[in-house]
């Protein structure tokens, strides 16, 4: 049978929250709940950074043979405007979430033609169950020229090849 | 709920008659891509209306089998469901895609399809 593959939001090393049916919300606190608490604020000057989010593939059941080519990408269209930066980097292991600038790459430069490689450090083929591949760490930055309110969701696609 | 990665399964036939399949994964030790003469994508039996069809790719000397895989896509707006899960058979001359709804696509062997 095909593997049951999930995407988790990490809360520690090899531990996290199954985001099935849920979304990831950038906040001013290090927590995974999707609500309107701990909202980011628009700074009077400079830039405010959200706490980072770390997402990783989780195999709830094992593949018949193996899984490799773990990838992630955006739609390539920045729907949030220049007042916001949605940046990412790739980690080999969990690192405590921070609300300081990770100096990452604009995720909207990574679309289906140039997806993010999520098994460049923890290389495949991946077998068995549990957390697999690299960690996609993301962060939202808000500048002083932003307008208040809730942003429309942006979609990140996670893809994998199953043998 | 049955997800769309259960719409089809795969099967490979080797030149000695051995059948490797998703239902018989213990035989995977016999897998040798050079020995594959047929690669198939077959509906699971839970398709009561027989909407989805079986697809067979036969190999021949100038179009040898290279590999097969399935690619799953999850989108962050609903991570508990697969957005798409297609099967792909790669030969020297082409890639043959079978999408979860039964649609097919033949493309260049160097193409790479992310949805």
């Amino acid at each position: 049978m095909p593997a049951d593959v999930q995407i988790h939001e990490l809360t520690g090393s090899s531990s996290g929250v199954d985001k099935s049916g849920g979304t990831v919300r950038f906040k001013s606190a290090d927590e995974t709940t999707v609500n309107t608490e701990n909202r980011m604020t628009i700074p009077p000057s400079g830039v405010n950074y959200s706490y980072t989010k770390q997402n990783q593939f989780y195999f709830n059941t094992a593949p018949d043979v193996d899984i490799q080519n773990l990838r992630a990408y955006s739609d390539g269209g920045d729907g949030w405007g220049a007042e916001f930066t949605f940046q990412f980097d790739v980690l080999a292991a969990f690192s405590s979430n921070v609300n300081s600038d990770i100096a990452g790459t604009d995720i909207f430069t990574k679309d289906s033609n140039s997806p993010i490689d999520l098994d460049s450090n923890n290389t495949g083929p991946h077998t068995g169950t549990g957390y697999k591949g690299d960690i996609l760490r993301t962060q939202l930055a808000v500048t002083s020229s932003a307008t208040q309110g809730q942003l429309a969701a942006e979609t990140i696609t996670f893809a994998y090849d199953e043998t | 709920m049955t997800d769309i990665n259960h719409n089809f399964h795969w099967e490979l036939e080797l030149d000695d008659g051995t059948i490797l399949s998703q239902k018989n994964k213990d035989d995977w030790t016999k897998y040798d891509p050079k020995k594959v003469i047929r690669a198939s994508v077959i509906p699971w039996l839970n398709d009561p209306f027989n909407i989805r069809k079986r697809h067979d790719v036969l190999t021949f000397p100038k179009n040898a089998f290279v590999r097969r895989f399935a690619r799953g896509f999850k989108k962050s707006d609903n991570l508990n469901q697969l957005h798409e899960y297609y099967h792909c058979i790669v030969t020297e001359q082409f890639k043959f895609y079978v999408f979860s709804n039964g649609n097919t696509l033949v493309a260049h062997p160097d193409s790479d399809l992310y949805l």
Side-chain angles (χ1 to χ4, degrees):
Chain A
M1 301 293 282
D4 177 15
V5 176
Q6 302 173 348
I7 309 297
H8 282 198
E9 183 177 335
L10 299 184
T11 55
S13 180
S14 295
S15 63
V17 177
D18 175 11
K19 299 303 286 188
S20 293
T23 59
V24 171
R25 180 159 294 180
F26 292 102
K27 308 179 89 169
S28 62
D30 182 15
E31 44 106 335
T32 61
T33 310
V34 179
N35 59 18
T36 54
E37 301 295 320
N38 300 308
R39 287 172 284 184
M40 295 184 68
T41 56
I42 300 170
S45 62
V47 180
N48 265 358
Y49 295 92
S50 73
Y51 269 89
T52 49
K53 297 290 184 180
Q54 297 178 64
N55 291 93
Q56 189 173 26
F57 280 88
Y58 179 84
F59 298 174
N60 193 39
T61 62
D64 290 324
V65 181
D66 59 51
I67 287 178
Q68 48 193 317
N69 291 335
L70 305 179
R71 299 287 185 270
Y73 52 91
S74 71
D75 61 7
D78 183 354
W80 290 344
E83 298 84 5
F84 302 91
T85 301
F86 186 6
Q87 59 181 351
F88 80 94
D89 58 12
V90 175
L91 304 179
F94 179 82
S95 176
S96 296
N97 286 316
V98 296
N99 62 350
S100 55
D101 185 11
I102 63 171
T105 304
D106 182 350
I107 204 164
F108 295 114
T109 64
K110 297 295 185 180
D111 61 12
S112 57
N113 292 316
S114 59
I116 303 163
D117 186 348
L118 290 180
D119 47 11
S120 59
N121 298 296
N122 301 309
T123 57
H126 304 285
T127 59
T129 59
Y131 289 96
K132 304 294 178 182
D134 298 337
I135 296 167
L136 177 65
R137 184 170 71 162
T138 52
Q139 184 178 52
L140 183 66
V142 183
T143 67
S144 58
S145 55
T147 303
Q148 68 178 21
Q150 184 171 319
L151 297 172
E154 286 282 359
T155 300
I156 303 299
T157 302
F158 294 86
Y160 59 93
D161 290 359
E162 184 168 10
T163 303
Chain B
M1 185 186 68
T2 300
D3 219 332
I4 58 174
N5 55 353
H6 292 82
N7 288 0
F8 289 93
H9 65 94
W10 55 266
E11 187 175 282
L12 301 176
E13 182 176 350
L14 307 185
D15 57 6
D16 65 357
T18 299
I19 302 294
L20 305 178
S21 78
Q22 203 160 357
K23 297 177 177 178
N24 187 24
K25 64 178 181 178
D26 292 340
D27 268 354
W28 190 249
T29 54
K30 299 177 181 175
Y31 174 68
D32 180 351
K34 294 176 183 174
K35 295 183 177 179
V36 173
I37 60 170
R38 173 179 61 82
S40 301
V41 177
I42 305 167
W44 286 98
L45 296 178
N46 60 359
D47 184 9
F49 303 108
N50 195 27
I51 294 172
R52 304 181 194 97
K53 303 300 182 186
R54 173 186 177 126
H55 299 279
D56 298 300
V57 173
L58 304 179
T59 62
F60 47 89
K62 291 187 177 179
N63 188 35
F65 174 84
V66 176
R67 68 187 179 105
R68 63 144 299 278
F69 64 94
R71 180 167 288 171
F73 298 87
K74 293 204 157 204
K75 291 187 178 291
S76 58
D77 57 355
N78 190 356
L79 287 169
N80 69 336
Q81 280 191 321
L82 280 161
H83 176 72
E84 177 54 58
Y85 186 89
Y86 67 65
H87 288 259
C88 182
I89 296 168
V90 186
T91 72
E92 290 179 326
Q93 301 293 330
F94 58 80
K95 277 183 175 172
F96 181 68
Y97 296 93
V98 180
F99 296 92
S100 58
N101 63 1
N103 288 347
T104 60
L105 174 70
V106 178
H108 192 279
D110 294 335
S111 65
D112 204 8
L113 186 59
Y114 282 99
L115 304 173

